[in-house]
Each structure stands twice: as structure tokens, then as C-alpha cells.
Amino acid sequence: MAKVWFQANDASLGSRELNWGITRIGRARDNHLVIDHPSISTFHCEFVLGLDSLLIRDVGSTNGTFVDGTQVREAPLKPGQTLRFGEIEGKVYFSQDPVRVPEVPIPFNKRSIPFDDGTVSCLNHPDVRATRHCPRCARVFCNDCIHSLKFRGRVNHHFCPHCSTETEAIRWGDEDEHDQSLWQRIKKLWSGHRP
């Protein structure tokens, strides 16, 4: 964060915070900081604020831009330096401490674990065999993880907890008829006896 404190004729005009990147100063209304004073040009100067630097650049002003009494076209700034834009004085305040960005841990992507019998585990429960597969996001889950919607007298719907797509049952090779519900076994028998 960087600020410039302004004064004219020993009267404080207050301080203004500078934008990241470019902050334009001048008399025109489309400047970032508007100073309505006859000694200030329509577009007077601009500050360029980076992560660890601040510089000032004159943009062709009539009465000049000064840093510590020396007229400049462009100059790097240090905290506490005195500025002058026409008859307006200023002082710049900013921290030169390095910006510290906190380290954000990358989330661990869960994976299903393959078992020796050729099956895989639930994405959330590595010790439990997966029973449902999501065709959209290709993740597999156990029955405890699946979101189920049950209607009385209708087929149940089982949704992926990650993307809410309806899942499909996984049929592993070692499953026999005893793992199927009574209704599934009746349907299988009935379909085998149709002419």
C-alpha cells in the first residue's frame, strides 16, 4: 500500500491511496486523483506502483514534477521523499518490506486403490470396495457415499456426491446371484423364460 499526502500553502489537502499499477494525477476529471488547481496540468503525472517499487513519471506537464527539489521526467521513489506538482507539495509513504505470499498447500487428489482381486476402493473409503460409478466424472464410490433419492413405488436414483450425476452400479466378476436383491433375481428368471 502506498499513499501520497498533499498540501498547498501550508494547508493539508489530505492523503490519497495509490492504485496498484498506474495512478494518474491532473486537473481533468478522468484522472485517478483530480487536483483542481491552476498550477496542475490537465494530465500532470502518474505513479507506477509495483510489488516492491514505486516510481513517478511526468506526462508533459506545464509546471513540472519535482522529487526532493529536482525536476524529473521519471524517477524511482523512496518512502518520505518530498514531491511537488506545480504549486502543490506532497510526501510519499509506502512500505518497502517484501510482500509475503502465504504458502497454500495443494489439496491432495484422492484416488481409488486397486485391490488384489481386480476391484477398486471407494474414492472416500480406501478399505471399502466401490459399488457405484459416475459416468460423468469417472469417480467410484461405495453406497455410503452416494446420495440416494427414493420415491415410493418407483426406481431409486443414486447420485454422485461430487458432480450430482446419476451413477451406475458396478458389477464385479465375482458377484453371484446372492449379492442381488430378490427382485433382481426374479427379473433375471422372468427374462430367461420369455418366449
Side-chain angles (χ1 to χ4, degrees):
M1 182 176 77
K3 285 187 174 184
V4 178
W5 172 76
F6 296 99
Q7 72 174 31
N9 302 325
D10 296 329
S12 174
L13 302 176
S15 64
R16 297 289 187 269
E17 194 170 316
L18 301 177
N19 302 327
W20 285 107
I22 294 177
T23 305
R24 289 182 203 84
I25 294 179
R27 230 176 37 244
R29 295 287 168 221
D30 54 346
N31 285 291
H32 296 110
L33 296 178
V34 177
I35 302 176
D36 192 12
H37 191 274
S39 68
I40 300 292
S41 296
T42 306
F43 299 101
H44 197 97
C45 65
E46 60 188 19
F47 289 95
V48 182
L49 178 61
L51 284 176
D52 56 359
S53 65
L54 177 63
L55 66 90
I56 192 165
R57 182 184 301 141
D58 188 89
V59 292
S61 66
T62 303
N63 294 319
T65 301
F66 297 82
V67 176
D68 291 334
T70 304
Q71 186 169 3
V72 296
R73 285 249 193 223
E74 182 174 304
L77 295 175
K78 295 178 183 163
Q81 284 189 297
T82 304
L83 309 173
R84 188 163 53 84
F85 322 100
E87 295 175 15
I88 305 296
E89 291 183 3
K91 198 163 254 203
V92 64
Y93 298 97
F94 67 100
S95 172
Q96 287 189 308
D97 294 336
V99 175
R100 299 191 193 285
V101 178
E103 189 173 323
V104 178
I106 298 171
F108 173 71
N109 290 331
K110 297 179 189 176
R111 292 185 185 182
S112 294
I113 299 170
F115 293 131
D116 292 337
D117 62 359
T119 63
V120 294
S121 73
C122 168
L123 186 68
N124 298 321
H125 301 101
D127 298 332
V128 179
R129 182 162 57 170
T131 56
R132 309 234 19 124
H133 170 264
C134 176
R136 182 175 181 199
C137 67
R139 291 178 169 94
V140 292
F141 300 96
C142 65
N143 288 335
D144 290 339
C145 294
I146 294 294
H147 297 217
S148 296
L149 183 61
K150 300 176 183 180
F151 293 104
R152 192 182 317 184
R154 294 190 182 157
V155 176
N156 295 338
H157 296 275
H158 306 282
F159 299 101
C160 174
H162 178 73
C163 69
S164 300
T165 301
E166 189 156 2
T167 60
E168 301 166 346
I170 300 173
R171 298 286 176 225
W172 300 112
D174 64 348
E175 291 177 344
D176 59 15
E177 289 187 3
H178 298 293
D179 292 333
Q180 297 177 353
S181 69
L182 177 62
W183 178 245
Q184 288 171 326
R185 284 184 272 162
I186 291 170
K187 282 178 24 181
K188 186 175 180 183
L189 283 171
W190 177 256
S191 65
H193 287 69
R194 287 187 177 163

